[in-house]
Amino acid sequence: MPEGFNTVCEIRVRFAETDAQGIAHHAAYVVWLEVARIAYLAEHAGGYSALRAQGIEALTTGVKVDYRAAAGFDDVLAIHVRCVDLRGARFRYEYRIERGCELMATAETLHATVNATTMRPTRVPAWLADAIATAERAS
Amino acid sequence: MPEGFNTVCEIRVRFAETDAQGIAHHAAYVVWLEVARIAYLAEHAGGYSALRAQGIEALTTGVKVDYRAAAGFDDVLAIHVRCVDLRGARFRYEYRIERGCELMATAETLHATVNATTMRPTRVPAWLADAIATAERAS
Amino acid sequence: MPEGFNTVCEIRVRFAETDAQGIAHHAAYVVWLEVARIAYLAEHAGGYSALRAQGIEALTTGVKVDYRAAAGFDDVLAIHVRCVDLRGARFRYEYRIERGCELMATAETLHATVNATTMRPTRVPAWLADAIATAERAS
Amino acid sequence: MPEGFNTVCEIRVRFAETDAQGIAHHAAYVVWLEVARIAYLAEHAGGYSALRAQGIEALTTGVKVDYRAAAGFDDVLAIHVRCVDLRGARFRYEYRIERGCELMATAETLHATVNATTMRPTRVPAWLADAIATAERAS
């Protein structure tokens, strides 16, 4: 596990995720980051469903990916993920995508919690903030 | 326009829709069929939004695609579409996908209208049935 | 395992695979079928890469899905798969998608092996035909 | 056209691109940026195919999207695009995504041209650099 990371999620590159360059399409990584966030919430905070059950949605307000090496069909990738900078209604995830020992990409995503009905910002609930703090303290 | 068809929708194959075989991935066609259905409803029946505004969703209950020739990146495809066999809560679309004069695929999809809240089957509303009948009579 | 099936592959519905109806989009199933085929080849025949390494590609020439029940975000689905009707350059896969005991969809896909360079049909290699026969005899 | 931009490409949000939050999924934007780049190359430089015909591929080495407002199903979005900072084998695209007068997102992507066979960096060909310079001078 890279230093500072406590959660990892594995994905296998699907054939449908490759493109005519013969590599995994760069948009697929953005989907994988989401898979890793869902896994993070499942492991540390009762799952994304717990959030939705309280009428809260987490919007993605920013995405940034730096691609270092091309992944190919059927590659198994480890997506290391951590949650940082939680403040009010906002938080950020950081990621390292690795294939074996090789760094394939780094990424970060920005999020805001909103009331699912009004779509207006609402503070990250205390139980989630606590769960994230506990998860990150352990890393 | 192939005989019996009255509506056509053009799509251009996106690079993200290609795969490592260098051709358009077969799952992309299923998305294109939906684009064609939306275009059909927009042209003949006030759009899919009109349906959703009445608390009705159209579920897809079946898909069948016969692939004849591989489409490539940036190909412009004409998706001919018609709606047939409307009965109660059910209807069917038929499609011919062409590139110039070449037949690339034929397809059909099955649908059922449901109440958006209960997800229970509900008859296709009369205005939509009429709009489809009018569209198909013209072809 | 449903009778007659010998291979199963699990997928978890990704958030990106849901749509504004709040359910897994019907095109996602077509991608999952491919994931199941890849798993089948990995389990019984040295993987799809073994095929590609010999300059052979397997094209998808037909897809048919019957949707029975809507899958939701984060659902774990078991995709049972078997390979049947191998003849010359052609073969067929059959699928049952289940969530726990519930049948969610049945499907079949048609395929043809082609020379990766010429894209012309070429017989399914004997070692693959044998591997499939062995796998299916066991079920 | 926003100041400094000379190329625009329109897309309509597909139903398959929405998610269970009822909005366009954030990964779809990354695909749309690519559609806009392809349109840019078609308009100013003979198309992406011209590049590939010379044995050159353009890799995406970075993506950054700032989401400002959520797009919905069937929304028509204008993707304004420009190419900047071309140097050696590297260049960058900047984007503004608008719905009517509303700014929906800004984005940038980083690219490197590589030899399609060796996948090693190779200078952007002079004809393409010239075409981009001409396009950008006009804006």
Side-chain angles (χ1 to χ4, degrees), chain A residues 124-136:
Chain A
V124 173
W127 61 267
L128 178 54
D130 288 348
I132 291 171
T134 302
E136 295 306 328

Side-chain angles (χ1 to χ4, degrees), chain D residues 70-109:
Chain D
F73 165 60
D74 221 26
D75 281 0
V76 174
L77 304 178
I79 308 177
H80 299 279
V81 54
R82 67 178 162 208
C83 187
V84 296
D85 295 346
L86 191 150
R87 209 166 309 164
R90 303 193 167 272
F91 52 101
R92 192 158 65 85
Y93 279 98
E94 293 179 346
Y95 312 82
R96 276 177 71 90
I97 303 183
E98 299 179 347
R99 182 181 58 194
C101 303
E102 191 182 4
L103 178 61
M104 308 300 281
T106 58
E108 65 172 54
T109 56

